[in-house]
Amino acid sequence: MTAPTLLIRDLTLGFRGWAGQVDVLHGISLHIMKGERVALVGESGSGKSVTARIVLGLLQQLKTARIGGRVSFEGQDLSTLTERRRHALRGTRMSMIFQDPTSSLNPVYRIGAQFHEVLKRAEPGISQADARRKAQAALADVAIPDPARALDSYSFQLSGGMNQRVMIAMALANEPSLLIADEPGTALDVTVQAQTLSLMRDLVEKHRTSVLFISHNLGVVREFADRVYVIYKGRIVEQGRSADLFADPRHPYTRALLAAVPRITGGGIPEIDDVSDSYFAPMVVHEGCEEPGEAG
Amino acid sequence: MTALLSLDRVSKTFTQGRHEVRAVDDVSFDVRQGECLAIVGESGSGKSTIANMILGIYPPTAGTIAFKGEMLPAARTLAHRRAIQLVQQNPLSSLNPKRTVGASLRLPLDVHGLGERSARAARVGELLEEVGLPADYASRAPDALSGGQRQRVAIARALACQSDLVVLDEPTSALDVLVQARVLKLLNDLRKDRGLTYVFITHDLSVVRNIADRVAVFERGRLVELNPTETIFSDPHHPYTRRLIGAVPVVTADEVRLRDRLMENENERA
């Protein structure tokens, strides 16, 4: 069996501050196989975004961060890489899509120029003409009606949905093996969000890109991910295939979280505790969703 | 049921240089005494413009707004401002960070001269307890509270005025789902206990399903459908309503079936 695209084992994170160390992650383990869409779902402060930042190698430089455990990307232990090598992975082998597309794009450069920068990450010598051709093809892939016009536009001239498509096209332009999507589409209208997600799903399926999908929205997760990890206060509490987990949530926290989502079929607003000791119950692993053995 | 608030052929046009944007286009509807009326739509639908006109932040370009059968003037009196209150989406920016929670709650009591001066401090404590917070939170600053607690303070501030109508502008969109459930519960209980009337502005249809009595759907400044919540979700009349419900990310198989059924109807009619 080939190594998973991403393997996280017993990852811990603490921040050292004036009042001592604050522990944020308490030993989380997860993996993503090639072409798999895996969601990390939790509330704000659960540790989902910092996990993404560690995978990208962005927190390692922070002097106050204390990171333990192991993160392997395509079989390579990230902690053995120099900062330079980690930097070289970003935007080429792994890329990221952020929540708010409009603020992720630079408003003083045209989309075309920013796209050129992205393509230069993988191919430093790429010519203006080649970059433009590639960018047009990439924008056509995300169903942007007039790619040439989009490339000559500034981000503020495009709608939020269009900007999100541009971000997706940029993130996938260098054919990364891992795409990290942090709350994509949360800032968009529901109809636009639905379109963007299905577009993104088709594309990653086509390229067999592995995805780490970070979200607090259970509905979006159910529709996008093959497998789900539920994270609560820096601990994974339940993991399983989406279909199993949503049909049969077993951990008290997952159950509360799911029960709290208002239904379009009605049923009123449930009575739920926002804190409970039972939320710290041991992790539940659904059948066939164990972490791979120590090898890997 | 009688109408507490009536909008009659209300339009709002914003001009920017030579550009004219018709944000709200010839809209008429009533908000009934004691109901929760949801206003839903996507960005650019005009839902916030309607809220701002109801609150008197700016007057309509055309049309009239009546409150308790009386025409609301462009310049609102203190009494009008007391009677219609607002709870905003982000309590961190709607509460003054330099003021303690108690001072923020005390201000409307002083401005509107509500209750005996000597009883107002105690009233602040009561208000906090009514929204499920300990009375001693009055001495805290907003940044010492969690998001959900801050939203409770914002709700308490709207209650302080003993208003009849509360405009809730995406009151739970910034909250985590567990916190959202508790805040929605609180809003529901308060409405029942005090006979409040809500105009609930949101893009989240699953919240609407569970809190609103009637739903007004807006698309690009126009009111395209206004129906009881039951009807909106079982037999929506307007294609845009069906599209909106069809796009809601859902978590149960029952919901998927409902969504599929509505979208099937949509395709048949198309």
Side-chain angles (χ1 to χ4, degrees), chain A residues 216-235:
Chain A
H216 71 283
N217 187 326
L218 288 150
V220 167
V221 164
R222 194 189 64 83
E223 283 172 31
F224 186 83
D226 305 316
R227 265 191 321 119
V228 180
Y229 292 85
V230 182
I231 184 169
Y232 177 64
K233 297 201 172 177
R235 293 171 181 85

Side-chain angles (χ1 to χ4, degrees), chain A residues 120-131:
Chain A
K120 272 201 262 183
R121 296 283 302 155
E123 201 184 326
I126 190 166
S127 73
Q128 195 96 38
D130 278 352

Side-chain angles (χ1 to χ4, degrees), chain B residues 59-95:
Chain B
T61 316
T64 55
I65 302 177
F67 184 65
K68 292 183 172 170
E70 181 195 328
M71 219 65 89
L72 283 172
R76 301 280 168 91
T77 63
L78 197 59
H80 290 135
R81 293 207 299 269
R82 185 189 62 74
I84 306 177
Q85 286 293 311
L86 169 70
V87 175
Q88 282 166 302
Q89 176 172 7
N90 184 352
L92 194 55
S93 60
S94 63
L95 293 169

